[in-house]
Each structure stands twice: as structure tokens, then as C-alpha cells.
Amino acid sequence: MSQQRQGSTPGNTGAVPAFPDLPEATIARLPEYLRALHNLAETGSETVSSEGLAAAAGVNSAKLRKDLSHLGSYGTRGVGYDVALLIDQIEYILGLDQRRAVALVGVGNLGHALAGYDGFASRGFRIVALFDADPEQVGQALNGLTVRHVEELGRAVVEEGITIGVIATPAGAAQAVADDLVAAGVTSILNFAPCVLAVPAGVDVRKVDLAIELQILSFHEHRKASLTALPGGRSPQAGNQEAVGS
Amino acid sequence: MSQQRQGSTPGNTGAVPAFPDLPEATIARLPEYLRALHNLAETGSETVSSEGLAAAAGVNSAKLRKDLSHLGSYGTRGVGYDVALLIDQIEYILGLDQRRAVALVGVGNLGHALAGYDGFASRGFRIVALFDADPEQVGQALNGLTVRHVEELGRAVVEEGITIGVIATPAGAAQAVADDLVAAGVTSILNFAPCVLAVPAGVDVRKVDLAIELQILSFHEHRKASLTALPGGRSPQAGNQEAVGS
DNA sequence: AGGCGCTTGTGAAGGCGTGCACAAATCGCG
DNA sequence: CGCGATTTGTGCACGCCTTCACAAGCGCCT
């Protein structure tokens, strides 16, 4: 979708290797590799083979090698990958070395959980501001932060250096919040509201809809049920043997 | 990843149209279409053009037509799609006509939110049982349900006719819970724990990792920042103009 | 020093998904 | 009754992603 080339002339050997334009599919897997690598580092492993890391991340080993080769990886043939080095590489590529400030809008049911989710902090993300439109919610303390009114969003984004916005509002309010975030200069949005957001070019939106995942599972349940019921479907060997990619 | 064929012989014209084996990418979009259709139905629309529905769902109209054609859709040329009929079709395909019983394991931070998330009930999913391993949590009432100890999981799954399990435990406990679910006969799992689950063939696992989504956004932030900083990257026109596919 | 086993990195092939562009079909109106 | 406007359904080509298979490289052991 973005085939513009980089300024990296062939033979470029600068200290910072320009910016590699990785396939989107590869990017989506890097966080999983990173998690597996952290686990390995905790167990004391200094190197991993592509086979071992692939197993820990739940992917094909060839795919993992190709992914890592895209970011000019430093593996050693006959040995494997240096765990610590690879962690640094991937964290640099993902921009996790600079801790990112996140704003969370909507502290309802889901927002509460997100505000307290420790999986964010442990990956280098820090929620620095909470907002809500409901006066009932405004003012309450939550995880060390005070919920502010959504009108203050614009100012806070600039003052706190926020680069990522998380929308956990009802669907009806999501577009207005997105507009506010974009107006304030946020260029990355994680949307939990079940609706499509319209944003200008240059702004990235990722959507997570919990109900959609269940519906996809429901489809497979339905399919499996109809197969076992049919005379033709004799062996229940359908389905994927491993986690389905997101 | 699963190229085994279905038992649907070509020329099959049974009353129930065997089971269409839809592309995985299509299945993942059907819930989004369904949501858009429900919105349209509420506004009183009786028919939609592929163009209109595609806009509401945030996809290309050609893609939408191809998706719908896969499930042998009933559109009328020159007119569009019958909203009510299409809703029924998609809900049947997704197996949403039969309300599915869901078990939720782990009522910590995230589990609490999931238990109270009304987006599930409105799509035909009903959480009928809550479990946790922490004695502190067991016994508490949550959304009209009492949290039970995870040891009772196996019995409850059978008694309550549970077909889908949701894992919202810490990573360390997830595999054991998955094993219990599978042993009890559950064949669909939605995993929120940040780890890879090993399950036998025939069991579908979908994974949602909130932190991974943020890391992908972080990558794009990093990329955008390095582009604007580079002398070559003059126009900030990079990025996708619409929501990024999950 | 030489050979052997192991592992990475990659060329090539195949499959899947996307999007264009157009033929086929339906409705409404004169 | 026929014609034009409109919209679906789909053949086709293109590009991305995955996977296999193997050459290239590295370390260790003799």
C-alpha cells in the first residue's frame, strides 16, 4: 500500500540504517517475537535457533528467518540468534526504546480495565492521561491518574507529548473523539469502539473489536458442527492446529 | 494453512447448501458487514448498494461484492441488497442464530471488563459462567453470576453447554486453562493472555493482545518520525488513509 | 588444518487476496 | 414494449505472503 522508496542508496552503511520498509505482515509479528525473546532471556538463554524461536512464537521457522532477514538481522550460521542483540534490534525498529505517552479516552467498563492493564507498562507504554465525557466520571482517581473532561484533551496532548490515543468510548462518540485527537496532533489511534473511523491520510488507525473475534469463532463452531453432522464429514480433523493469526 | 477440502461435491444442491468454505479473509469481514447492516436497519433502510454498505463498513465495494457472492448472496442487480435478508444470511453463516454460551476464565482487571461488556450480549453471545483460580475472587457476584473455582470448569462446560472459552488469565496460567477447556470439549478459544497456546487439531484459537496493537502503532509512529526527520522525506503523505485491517 | 554437522539467509514457486473493468441482469419510464 | 440507467456478479491480472529447498557460512572436533 505504500511503495514509496527510502533514501537508502544501495551500499548504504550508515550508523543508523535509514529506515527499512518492512512488509506489514512482518511488522505484525515482531511484537510476538519480542515477547518470546524476553521469555527466553529470562530463562537464561543467550542464543536461539530460528526453529526454537519460531516454536516459542507459534510460527513457521522459514517465515521467522525471512522476517528477521528483512530487518538486516544479525544471526550466526551454525549457532543461531543472539537473544539480547535481537531484542535490542526489534525494540529499536518498533520504536520501543522511547517510552511512548498514551491517552485513554473513555473510562467505562473497558476503559477501566485498559487503564489498569499492566501489559502496557511492561512493554514501554505509559498511559499518562484519562478522559471521559461523563461528568460523573470526571474527577475520579484511577490508577494514580485523575479522569479529566474530554474538552481538555487537545491541550493535554500537546503538553504531555502524547503520540498515541486509545478510544474506549461508545460507538456514537468515537468519531468525535478521533477528530479531537487528530486535531491535537495525534497520528496513531487504537480504536476499541465498534465503528469505522474516518481520519485524514497520515493517521494510522488500528481497530480491536472483541465481539468480532467471538463471531469468527462462532463461524468455525458452526462449520465444525455442520461437518460432523454431515455424512461426508467423517473425521473431525478440520481446523487449524495452532493459534490463528490475528 | 488448512488446504483440506470439504465434503461438498460439485453440483451439490441440498436444502441446506452444504457449508460454503469461505476465504478466511472474508469471514473476518462478515462481522463488520453485519454491524453496518444493523446500523442501516435502524435508520429504516430496506436496501443498500454495495457502494453504500462498503462505505459503512470501511472497505472497497468490489471486495464487498466478492465477499457476499461467496456466500451465494441474494442481491438484486439495479437495486442492491435487501438489508433484512442479508442480516439473516450473515447471522446464519456465522452461527449467530443459535445463542452461544461462553465461559470466561480469569476475572482480574480485564476479565471484569469482559464480563460486563455489553457488546457481547448484543451480538448473541452470553457469558454463562465465570471462573478464577484465586480463592479471593471465588464466590463474588459479577454481573449476575457467581465466580466459581476453575476446578469446576470441566463440569460446568458440559452442564451449561458451553462451546466457547475466553481466557483472561495471566500468561502463566493460560496453557493449563486451555488444556482444561479442551478436555471438557470446548473447541473454540479466545485468548487474551500474552502467550502462545498449544492445542490439538480441531480446536480454534484466536488471540487478542492489546499490547501488540500498540506496538504496531509505535512502529508506524517511529517510521513517520524518522521520515519527516530525513532530508528525503519531504511530504508527510505516508500512512494509510483509512483504518488498518486487523 | 581439514572435514563435518548445524544453522542462517534467500531464490523460486505456488497460493491467496485485492481491485479493476465489464458483461449480465433488473427496474422504471416513456 | 423497448430502452436506458443502475447495480450486481465475476473473469482476469497483479502483487503480497508463505513455504520449500538449498547454497553459503560458521564453529567444533579430530
mmCIF file with all atom_site columns, all heavy atoms in Angstrom, chain C residues 9-17:
data_model
loop_
_atom_site.group_PDB
_atom_site.id
_atom_site.type_symbol
_atom_site.label_atom_id
_atom_site.label_alt_id
_atom_site.label_comp_id
_atom_site.label_asym_id
_atom_site.label_entity_id
_atom_site.label_seq_id
_atom_site.pdbx_PDB_ins_code
_atom_site.Cartn_x
_atom_site.Cartn_y
_atom_site.Cartn_z
_atom_site.occupancy
_atom_site.B_iso_or_equiv
_atom_site.pdbx_formal_charge
_atom_site.auth_seq_id
_atom_site.auth_comp_id
_atom_site.auth_asym_id
_atom_site.auth_atom_id
_atom_site.pdbx_PDB_model_num
ATOM 1   P P     . DG C 1 9  ? 20.531 -14.613 9.354   1.00 0.00 ? 9  DG C P     1
ATOM 2   O OP1   . DG C 1 9  ? 21.446 -13.521 9.709   1.00 0.00 ? 9  DG C OP1   1
ATOM 3   O OP2   . DG C 1 9  ? 19.176 -14.659 9.925   1.00 0.00 ? 9  DG C OP2   1
ATOM 4   O "O5'" . DG C 1 9  ? 20.414 -14.659 7.760   1.00 0.00 ? 9  DG C "O5'" 1
ATOM 5   C "C5'" . DG C 1 9  ? 21.602 -14.599 6.990   1.00 0.00 ? 9  DG C "C5'" 1
ATOM 6   C "C4'" . DG C 1 9  ? 21.297 -14.929 5.539   1.00 0.00 ? 9  DG C "C4'" 1
ATOM 7   O "O4'" . DG C 1 9  ? 20.879 -16.319 5.442   1.00 0.00 ? 9  DG C "O4'" 1
ATOM 8   C "C3'" . DG C 1 9  ? 20.183 -14.106 4.897   1.00 0.00 ? 9  DG C "C3'" 1
ATOM 9   O "O3'" . DG C 1 9  ? 20.629 -13.684 3.618   1.00 0.00 ? 9  DG C "O3'" 1
ATOM 10  C "C2'" . DG C 1 9  ? 19.021 -15.092 4.804   1.00 0.00 ? 9  DG C "C2'" 1
ATOM 11  C "C1'" . DG C 1 9  ? 19.760 -16.395 4.581   1.00 0.00 ? 9  DG C "C1'" 1
ATOM 12  N N9    . DG C 1 9  ? 19.019 -17.601 4.951   1.00 0.00 ? 9  DG C N9    1
ATOM 13  C C8    . DG C 1 9  ? 18.317 -17.818 6.115   1.00 0.00 ? 9  DG C C8    1
ATOM 14  N N7    . DG C 1 9  ? 17.769 -19.000 6.178   1.00 0.00 ? 9  DG C N7    1
ATOM 15  C C5    . DG C 1 9  ? 18.130 -19.610 4.979   1.00 0.00 ? 9  DG C C5    1
ATOM 16  C C6    . DG C 1 9  ? 17.830 -20.897 4.477   1.00 0.00 ? 9  DG C C6    1
ATOM 17  O O6    . DG C 1 9  ? 17.165 -21.793 5.009   1.00 0.00 ? 9  DG C O6    1
ATOM 18  N N1    . DG C 1 9  ? 18.405 -21.103 3.218   1.00 0.00 ? 9  DG C N1    1
ATOM 19  C C2    . DG C 1 9  ? 19.162 -20.185 2.544   1.00 0.00 ? 9  DG C C2    1
ATOM 20  N N2    . DG C 1 9  ? 19.626 -20.554 1.358   1.00 0.00 ? 9  DG C N2    1
ATOM 21  N N3    . DG C 1 9  ? 19.453 -18.974 2.993   1.00 0.00 ? 9  DG C N3    1
ATOM 22  C C4    . DG C 1 9  ? 18.907 -18.760 4.214   1.00 0.00 ? 9  DG C C4    1
ATOM 23  P P     . DT C 1 10 ? 19.826 -12.602 2.787   1.00 0.00 ? 10 DT C P     1
ATOM 24  O OP1   . DT C 1 10 ? 20.813 -11.618 2.300   1.00 0.00 ? 10 DT C OP1   1
ATOM 25  O OP2   . DT C 1 10 ? 18.665 -12.164 3.570   1.00 0.00 ? 10 DT C OP2   1
ATOM 26  O "O5'" . DT C 1 10 ? 19.295 -13.438 1.527   1.00 0.00 ? 10 DT C "O5'" 1
ATOM 27  C "C5'" . DT C 1 10 ? 20.167 -14.339 0.877   1.00 0.00 ? 10 DT C "C5'" 1
ATOM 28  C "C4'" . DT C 1 10 ? 19.403 -15.196 -0.123  1.00 0.00 ? 10 DT C "C4'" 1
ATOM 29  O "O4'" . DT C 1 10 ? 18.832 -16.349 0.550   1.00 0.00 ? 10 DT C "O4'" 1
ATOM 30  C "C3'" . DT C 1 10 ? 18.226 -14.517 -0.818  1.00 0.00 ? 10 DT C "C3'" 1
ATOM 31  O "O3'" . DT C 1 10 ? 18.188 -14.975 -2.153  1.00 0.00 ? 10 DT C "O3'" 1
ATOM 32  C "C2'" . DT C 1 10 ? 17.032 -15.052 -0.059  1.00 0.00 ? 10 DT C "C2'" 1
ATOM 33  C "C1'" . DT C 1 10 ? 17.494 -16.482 0.135   1.00 0.00 ? 10 DT C "C1'" 1
ATOM 34  N N1    . DT C 1 10 ? 16.751 -17.228 1.174   1.00 0.00 ? 10 DT C N1    1
ATOM 35  C C2    . DT C 1 10 ? 16.465 -18.552 0.966   1.00 0.00 ? 10 DT C C2    1
ATOM 36  O O2    . DT C 1 10 ? 16.800 -19.149 -0.046  1.00 0.00 ? 10 DT C O2    1
ATOM 37  N N3    . DT C 1 10 ? 15.772 -19.160 1.979   1.00 0.00 ? 10 DT C N3    1
ATOM 38  C C4    . DT C 1 10 ? 15.345 -18.579 3.162   1.00 0.00 ? 10 DT C C4    1
ATOM 39  O O4    . DT C 1 10 ? 14.729 -19.223 3.989   1.00 0.00 ? 10 DT C O4    1
ATOM 40  C C5    . DT C 1 10 ? 15.683 -17.188 3.311   1.00 0.00 ? 10 DT C C5    1
ATOM 41  C C7    . DT C 1 10 ? 15.267 -16.462 4.545   1.00 0.00 ? 10 DT C C7    1
ATOM 42  C C6    . DT C 1 10 ? 16.352 -16.586 2.330   1.00 0.00 ? 10 DT C C6    1
ATOM 43  P P     . DG C 1 11 ? 18.256 -13.889 -3.335  1.00 0.00 ? 11 DG C P     1
ATOM 44  O OP1   . DG C 1 11 ? 19.644 -13.391 -3.456  1.00 0.00 ? 11 DG C OP1   1
ATOM 45  O OP2   . DG C 1 11 ? 17.156 -12.947 -3.130  1.00 0.00 ? 11 DG C OP2   1
ATOM 46  O "O5'" . DG C 1 11 ? 17.948 -14.807 -4.611  1.00 0.00 ? 11 DG C "O5'" 1
ATOM 47  C "C5'" . DG C 1 11 ? 18.790 -15.928 -4.857  1.00 0.00 ? 11 DG C "C5'" 1
ATOM 48  C "C4'" . DG C 1 11 ? 17.995 -17.059 -5.499  1.00 0.00 ? 11 DG C "C4'" 1
ATOM 49  O "O4'" . DG C 1 11 ? 17.315 -17.829 -4.481  1.00 0.00 ? 11 DG C "O4'" 1
ATOM 50  C "C3'" . DG C 1 11 ? 16.921 -16.618 -6.489  1.00 0.00 ? 11 DG C "C3'" 1
ATOM 51  O "O3'" . DG C 1 11 ? 16.901 -17.542 -7.581  1.00 0.00 ? 11 DG C "O3'" 1
ATOM 52  C "C2'" . DG C 1 11 ? 15.641 -16.678 -5.675  1.00 0.00 ? 11 DG C "C2'" 1
ATOM 53  C "C1'" . DG C 1 11 ? 15.921 -17.848 -4.746  1.00 0.00 ? 11 DG C "C1'" 1
ATOM 54  N N9    . DG C 1 11 ? 15.240 -17.773 -3.456  1.00 0.00 ? 11 DG C N9    1
ATOM 55  C C8    . DG C 1 11 ? 15.192 -16.679 -2.626  1.00 0.00 ? 11 DG C C8    1
ATOM 56  N N7    . DG C 1 11 ? 14.532 -16.902 -1.526  1.00 0.00 ? 11 DG C N7    1
ATOM 57  C C5    . DG C 1 11 ? 14.107 -18.213 -1.634  1.00 0.00 ? 11 DG C C5    1
ATOM 58  C C6    . DG C 1 11 ? 13.338 -19.005 -0.750  1.00 0.00 ? 11 DG C C6    1
ATOM 59  O O6    . DG C 1 11 ? 12.865 -18.689 0.348   1.00 0.00 ? 11 DG C O6    1
ATOM 60  N N1    . DG C 1 11 ? 13.123 -20.287 -1.250  1.00 0.00 ? 11 DG C N1    1
ATOM 61  C C2    . DG C 1 11 ? 13.601 -20.744 -2.448  1.00 0.00 ? 11 DG C C2    1
ATOM 62  N N2    . DG C 1 11 ? 13.279 -22.006 -2.751  1.00 0.00 ? 11 DG C N2    1
ATOM 63  N N3    . DG C 1 11 ? 14.314 -20.017 -3.291  1.00 0.00 ? 11 DG C N3    1
ATOM 64  C C4    . DG C 1 11 ? 14.528 -18.770 -2.820  1.00 0.00 ? 11 DG C C4    1
ATOM 65  P P     . DA C 1 12 ? 15.985 -17.260 -8.857  1.00 0.00 ? 12 DA C P     1
ATOM 66  O OP1   . DA C 1 12 ? 16.741 -17.741 -10.037 1.00 0.00 ? 12 DA C OP1   1
ATOM 67  O OP2   . DA C 1 12 ? 15.477 -15.872 -8.813  1.00 0.00 ? 12 DA C OP2   1
ATOM 68  O "O5'" . DA C 1 12 ? 14.776 -18.251 -8.609  1.00 0.00 ? 12 DA C "O5'" 1
ATOM 69  C "C5'" . DA C 1 12 ? 15.033 -19.592 -8.210  1.00 0.00 ? 12 DA C "C5'" 1
ATOM 70  C "C4'" . DA C 1 12 ? 13.731 -20.336 -7.998  1.00 0.00 ? 12 DA C "C4'" 1
ATOM 71  O "O4'" . DA C 1 12 ? 13.258 -20.100 -6.642  1.00 0.00 ? 12 DA C "O4'" 1
ATOM 72  C "C3'" . DA C 1 12 ? 12.580 -19.920 -8.923  1.00 0.00 ? 12 DA C "C3'" 1
ATOM 73  O "O3'" . DA C 1 12 ? 11.884 -21.078 -9.337  1.00 0.00 ? 12 DA C "O3'" 1
ATOM 74  C "C2'" . DA C 1 12 ? 11.728 -19.017 -8.040  1.00 0.00 ? 12 DA C "C2'" 1
ATOM 75  C "C1'" . DA C 1 12 ? 11.908 -19.664 -6.679  1.00 0.00 ? 12 DA C "C1'" 1
ATOM 76  N N9    . DA C 1 12 ? 11.702 -18.766 -5.554  1.00 0.00 ? 12 DA C N9    1
ATOM 77  C C8    . DA C 1 12 ? 12.074 -17.454 -5.456  1.00 0.00 ? 12 DA C C8    1
ATOM 78  N N7    . DA C 1 12 ? 11.755 -16.890 -4.311  1.00 0.00 ? 12 DA C N7    1
ATOM 79  C C5    . DA C 1 12 ? 11.134 -17.899 -3.607  1.00 0.00 ? 12 DA C C5    1
ATOM 80  C C6    . DA C 1 12 ? 10.566 -17.938 -2.320  1.00 0.00 ? 12 DA C C6    1
ATOM 81  N N6    . DA C 1 12 ? 10.533 -16.909 -1.490  1.00 0.00 ? 12 DA C N6    1
ATOM 82  N N1    . DA C 1 12 ? 10.024 -19.115 -1.911  1.00 0.00 ? 12 DA C N1    1
ATOM 83  C C2    . DA C 1 12 ? 10.054 -20.158 -2.763  1.00 0.00 ? 12 DA C C2    1
ATOM 84  N N3    . DA C 1 12 ? 10.558 -20.237 -3.994  1.00 0.00 ? 12 DA C N3    1
ATOM 85  C C4    . DA C 1 12 ? 11.092 -19.063 -4.355  1.00 0.00 ? 12 DA C C4    1
ATOM 86  P P     . DA C 1 13 ? 10.797 -20.983 -10.490 1.00 0.00 ? 13 DA C P     1
ATOM 87  O OP1   . DA C 1 13 ? 11.276 -21.826 -11.601 1.00 0.00 ? 13 DA C OP1   1
ATOM 88  O OP2   . DA C 1 13 ? 10.448 -19.568 -10.735 1.00 0.00 ? 13 DA C OP2   1
ATOM 89  O "O5'" . DA C 1 13 ? 9.557  -21.701 -9.815  1.00 0.00 ? 13 DA C "O5'" 1
ATOM 90  C "C5'" . DA C 1 13 ? 9.776  -22.783 -8.909  1.00 0.00 ? 13 DA C "C5'" 1
ATOM 91  C "C4'" . DA C 1 13 ? 8.544  -22.998 -8.055  1.00 0.00 ? 13 DA C "C4'" 1
ATOM 92  O "O4'" . DA C 1 13 ? 8.552  -22.074 -6.944  1.00 0.00 ? 13 DA C "O4'" 1
ATOM 93  C "C3'" . DA C 1 13 ? 7.214  -22.772 -8.776  1.00 0.00 ? 13 DA C "C3'" 1
ATOM 94  O "O3'" . DA C 1 13 ? 6.301  -23.782 -8.401  1.00 0.00 ? 13 DA C "O3'" 1
ATOM 95  C "C2'" . DA C 1 13 ? 6.778  -21.399 -8.285  1.00 0.00 ? 13 DA C "C2'" 1
ATOM 96  C "C1'" . DA C 1 13 ? 7.313  -21.400 -6.873  1.00 0.00 ? 13 DA C "C1'" 1
ATOM 97  N N9    . DA C 1 13 ? 7.554  -20.085 -6.311  1.00 0.00 ? 13 DA C N9    1
ATOM 98  C C8    . DA C 1 13 ? 8.133  -19.016 -6.914  1.00 0.00 ? 13 DA C C8    1
ATOM 99  N N7    . DA C 1 13 ? 8.220  -17.950 -6.154  1.00 0.00 ? 13 DA C N7    1
ATOM 100 C C5    . DA C 1 13 ? 7.654  -18.351 -4.966  1.00 0.00 ? 13 DA C C5    1
ATOM 101 C C6    . DA C 1 13 ? 7.442  -17.687 -3.756  1.00 0.00 ? 13 DA C C6    1
ATOM 102 N N6    . DA C 1 13 ? 7.794  -16.418 -3.532  1.00 0.00 ? 13 DA C N6    1
ATOM 103 N N1    . DA C 1 13 ? 6.851  -18.375 -2.743  1.00 0.00 ? 13 DA C N1    1
ATOM 104 C C2    . DA C 1 13 ? 6.502  -19.648 -2.970  1.00 0.00 ? 13 DA C C2    1
ATOM 105 N N3    . DA C 1 13 ? 6.646  -20.383 -4.075  1.00 0.00 ? 13 DA C N3    1
ATOM 106 C C4    . DA C 1 13 ? 7.239  -19.664 -5.038  1.00 0.00 ? 13 DA C C4    1
ATOM 107 P P     . DG C 1 14 ? 5.026  -24.064 -9.301  1.00 0.00 ? 14 DG C P     1
ATOM 108 O OP1   . DG C 1 14 ? 5.133  -25.434 -9.822  1.00 0.00 ? 14 DG C OP1   1
ATOM 109 O OP2   . DG C 1 14 ? 4.831  -22.925 -10.230 1.00 0.00 ? 14 DG C OP2   1
ATOM 110 O "O5'" . DG C 1 14 ? 3.859  -24.040 -8.240  1.00 0.00 ? 14 DG C "O5'" 1
ATOM 111 C "C5'" . DG C 1 14 ? 4.089  -24.523 -6.923  1.00 0.00 ? 14 DG C "C5'" 1
ATOM 112 C "C4'" . DG C 1 14 ? 3.191  -23.782 -5.957  1.00 0.00 ? 14 DG C "C4'" 1
ATOM 113 O "O4'" . DG C 1 14 ? 3.761  -22.493 -5.638  1.00 0.00 ? 14 DG C "O4'" 1
ATOM 114 C "C3'" . DG C 1 14 ? 1.776  -23.498 -6.497  1.00 0.00 ? 14 DG C "C3'" 1
ATOM 115 O "O3'" . DG C 1 14 ? 0.840  -24.111 -5.623  1.00 0.00 ? 14 DG C "O3'" 1
ATOM 116 C "C2'" . DG C 1 14 ? 1.671  -21.975 -6.516  1.00 0.00 ? 14 DG C "C2'" 1
ATOM 117 C "C1'" . DG C 1 14 ? 2.729  -21.541 -5.517  1.00 0.00 ? 14 DG C "C1'" 1
ATOM 118 N N9    . DG C 1 14 ? 3.312  -20.236 -5.770  1.00 0.00 ? 14 DG C N9    1
ATOM 119 C C8    . DG C 1 14 ? 3.892  -19.791 -6.927  1.00 0.00 ? 14 DG C C8    1
ATOM 120 N N7    . DG C 1 14 ? 4.335  -18.565 -6.847  1.00 0.00 ? 14 DG C N7    1
ATOM 121 C C5    . DG C 1 14 ? 4.012  -18.174 -5.559  1.00 0.00 ? 14 DG C C5    1
ATOM 122 C C6    . DG C 1 14 ? 4.242  -16.945 -4.891  1.00 0.00 ? 14 DG C C6    1
ATOM 123 O O6    . DG C 1 14 ? 4.792  -15.933 -5.321  1.00 0.00 ? 14 DG C O6    1
ATOM 124 N N1    . DG C 1 14 ? 3.759  -16.963 -3.590  1.00 0.00 ? 14 DG C N1    1
ATOM 125 C C2    . DG C 1 14 ? 3.139  -18.032 -3.003  1.00 0.00 ? 14 DG C C2    1
ATOM 126 N N2    . DG C 1 14 ? 2.732  -17.877 -1.740  1.00 0.00 ? 14 DG C N2    1
ATOM 127 N N3    . DG C 1 14 ? 2.914  -19.199 -3.614  1.00 0.00 ? 14 DG C N3    1
ATOM 128 C C4    . DG C 1 14 ? 3.380  -19.189 -4.885  1.00 0.00 ? 14 DG C C4    1
ATOM 129 P P     . DG C 1 15 ? -0.720 -24.083 -5.967  1.00 0.00 ? 15 DG C P     1
ATOM 130 O OP1   . DG C 1 15 ? -1.291 -25.412 -5.691  1.00 0.00 ? 15 DG C OP1   1
ATOM 131 O OP2   . DG C 1 15 ? -0.912 -23.440 -7.298  1.00 0.00 ? 15 DG C OP2   1
ATOM 132 O "O5'" . DG C 1 15 ? -1.238 -23.084 -4.854  1.00 0.00 ? 15 DG C "O5'" 1
ATOM 133 C "C5'" . DG C 1 15 ? -0.636 -23.120 -3.554  1.00 0.00 ? 15 DG C "C5'" 1
ATOM 134 C "C4'" . DG C 1 15 ? -1.225 -22.030 -2.688  1.00 0.00 ? 15 DG C "C4'" 1
ATOM 135 O "O4'" . DG C 1 15 ? -0.517 -20.785 -2.922  1.00 0.00 ? 15 DG C "O4'" 1
ATOM 136 C "C3'" . DG C 1 15 ? -2.696 -21.735 -2.961  1.00 0.00 ? 15 DG C "C3'" 1
ATOM 137 O "O3'" . DG C 1 15 ? -3.342 -21.520 -1.719  1.00 0.00 ? 15 DG C "O3'" 1
ATOM 138 C "C2'" . DG C 1 15 ? -2.654 -20.472 -3.819  1.00 0.00 ? 15 DG C "C2'" 1
ATOM 139 C "C1'" . DG C 1 15 ? -1.420 -19.766 -3.283  1.00 0.00 ? 15 DG C "C1'" 1
ATOM 140 N N9    . DG C 1 15 ? -0.742 -18.911 -4.253  1.00 0.00 ? 15 DG C N9    1
ATOM 141 C C8    . DG C 1 15 ? -0.444 -19.221 -5.552  1.00 0.00 ? 15 DG C C8    1
ATOM 142 N N7    . DG C 1 15 ? 0.183  -18.264 -6.179  1.00 0.00 ? 15 DG C N7    1
ATOM 143 C C5    . DG C 1 15 ? 0.311  -17.264 -5.229  1.00 0.00 ? 15 DG C C5    1
ATOM 144 C C6    . DG C 1 15 ? 0.903  -15.979 -5.324  1.00 0.00 ? 15 DG C C6    1
ATOM 145 O O6    . DG C 1 15 ? 1.453  -15.459 -6.294  1.00 0.00 ? 15 DG C O6    1
ATOM 146 N N1    . DG C 1 15 ? 0.806  -15.276 -4.129  1.00 0.00 ? 15 DG C N1    1
ATOM 147 C C2    . DG C 1 15 ? 0.213  -15.758 -2.982  1.00 0.00 ? 15 DG C C2    1
ATOM 148 N N2    . DG C 1 15 ? 0.209  -14.940 -1.933  1.00 0.00 ? 15 DG C N2    1
ATOM 149 N N3    . DG C 1 15 ? -0.344 -16.956 -2.884  1.00 0.00 ? 15 DG C N3    1
ATOM 150 C C4    . DG C 1 15 ? -0.257 -17.644 -4.038  1.00 0.00 ? 15 DG C C4    1
ATOM 151 P P     . DC C 1 16 ? -4.918 -21.388 -1.676  1.00 0.00 ? 16 DC C P     1
ATOM 152 O OP1   . DC C 1 16 ? -5.419 -22.292 -0.644  1.00 0.00 ? 16 DC C OP1   1
ATOM 153 O OP2   . DC C 1 16 ? -5.448 -21.449 -3.066  1.00 0.00 ? 16 DC C OP2   1
ATOM 154 O "O5'" . DC C 1 16 ? -5.087 -19.901 -1.145  1.00 0.00 ? 16 DC C "O5'" 1
ATOM 155 C "C5'" . DC C 1 16 ? -4.182 -19.415 -0.151  1.00 0.00 ? 16 DC C "C5'" 1
ATOM 156 C "C4'" . DC C 1 16 ? -4.301 -17.917 -0.049  1.00 0.00 ? 16 DC C "C4'" 1
ATOM 157 O "O4'" . DC C 1 16 ? -3.527 -17.294 -1.100  1.00 0.00 ? 16 DC C "O4'" 1
ATOM 158 C "C3'" . DC C 1 16 ? -5.726 -17.389 -0.187  1.00 0.00 ? 16 DC C "C3'" 1
ATOM 159 O "O3'" . DC C 1 16 ? -6.009 -16.560 0.931   1.00 0.00 ? 16 DC C "O3'" 1
ATOM 160 C "C2'" . DC C 1 16 ? -5.711 -16.615 -1.516  1.00 0.00 ? 16 DC C "C2'" 1
ATOM 161 C "C1'" . DC C 1 16 ? -4.258 -16.220 -1.648  1.00 0.00 ? 16 DC C "C1'" 1
ATOM 162 N N1    . DC C 1 16 ? -3.782 -16.054 -3.044  1.00 0.00 ? 16 DC C N1    1
ATOM 163 C C2    . DC C 1 16 ? -3.110 -14.877 -3.405  1.00 0.00 ? 16 DC C C2    1
ATOM 164 O O2    . DC C 1 16 ? -2.930 -14.000 -2.556  1.00 0.00 ? 16 DC C O2    1
ATOM 165 N N3    . DC C 1 16 ? -2.675 -14.740 -4.680  1.00 0.00 ? 16 DC C N3    1
ATOM 166 C C4    . DC C 1 16 ? -2.885 -15.713 -5.565  1.00 0.00 ? 16 DC C C4    1
ATOM 167 N N4    . DC C 1 16 ? -2.429 -15.525 -6.802  1.00 0.00 ? 16 DC C N4    1
ATOM 168 C C5    . DC C 1 16 ? -3.557 -16.923 -5.219  1.00 0.00 ? 16 DC C C5    1
ATOM 169 C C6    . DC C 1 16 ? -3.994 -17.049 -3.952  1.00 0.00 ? 16 DC C C6    1
ATOM 170 P P     . DG C 1 17 ? -7.455 -15.954 1.113   1.00 0.00 ? 17 DG C P     1
ATOM 171 O OP1   . DG C 1 17 ? -7.740 -15.926 2.553   1.00 0.00 ? 17 DG C OP1   1
ATOM 172 O OP2   . DG C 1 17 ? -8.378 -16.619 0.174   1.00 0.00 ? 17 DG C OP2   1
ATOM 173 O "O5'" . DG C 1 17 ? -7.227 -14.459 0.632   1.00 0.00 ? 17 DG C "O5'" 1
ATOM 174 C "C5'" . DG C 1 17 ? -6.173 -13.714 1.218   1.00 0.00 ? 17 DG C "C5'" 1
ATOM 175 C "C4'" . DG C 1 17 ? -6.076 -12.369 0.569   1.00 0.00 ? 17 DG C "C4'" 1
ATOM 176 O "O4'" . DG C 1 17 ? -5.519 -12.510 -0.759  1.00 0.00 ? 17 DG C "O4'" 1
ATOM 177 C "C3'" . DG C 1 17 ? -7.415 -11.636 0.401   1.00 0.00 ? 17 DG C "C3'" 1
ATOM 178 O "O3'" . DG C 1 17 ? -7.263 -10.306 0.847   1.00 0.00 ? 17 DG C "O3'" 1
ATOM 179 C "C2'" . DG C 1 17 ? -7.688 -11.733 -1.102  1.00 0.00 ? 17 DG C "C2'" 1
ATOM 180 C "C1'" . DG C 1 17 ? -6.294 -11.778 -1.684  1.00 0.00 ? 17 DG C "C1'" 1
ATOM 181 N N9    . DG C 1 17 ? -6.192 -12.462 -2.966  1.00 0.00 ? 17 DG C N9    1
ATOM 182 C C8    . DG C 1 17 ? -6.711 -13.693 -3.294  1.00 0.00 ? 17 DG C C8    1
ATOM 183 N N7    . DG C 1 17 ? -6.447 -14.056 -4.525  1.00 0.00 ? 17 DG C N7    1
ATOM 184 C C5    . DG C 1 17 ? -5.702 -13.002 -5.033  1.00 0.00 ? 17 DG C C5    1
ATOM 185 C C6    . DG C 1 17 ? -5.128 -12.824 -6.320  1.00 0.00 ? 17 DG C C6    1
ATOM 186 O O6    . DG C 1 17 ? -5.162 -13.588 -7.290  1.00 0.00 ? 17 DG C O6    1
ATOM 187 N N1    . DG C 1 17 ? -4.449 -11.608 -6.414  1.00 0.00 ? 17 DG C N1    1
ATOM 188 C C2    . DG C 1 17 ? -4.339 -10.679 -5.402  1.00 0.00 ? 17 DG C C2    1
ATOM 189 N N2    . DG C 1 17 ? -3.660 -9.574  -5.675  1.00 0.00 ? 17 DG C N2    1
ATOM 190 N N3    . DG C 1 17 ? -4.872 -10.832 -4.203  1.00 0.00 ? 17 DG C N3    1
ATOM 191 C C4    . DG C 1 17 ? -5.538 -12.015 -4.086  1.00 0.00 ? 17 DG C C4    1
#
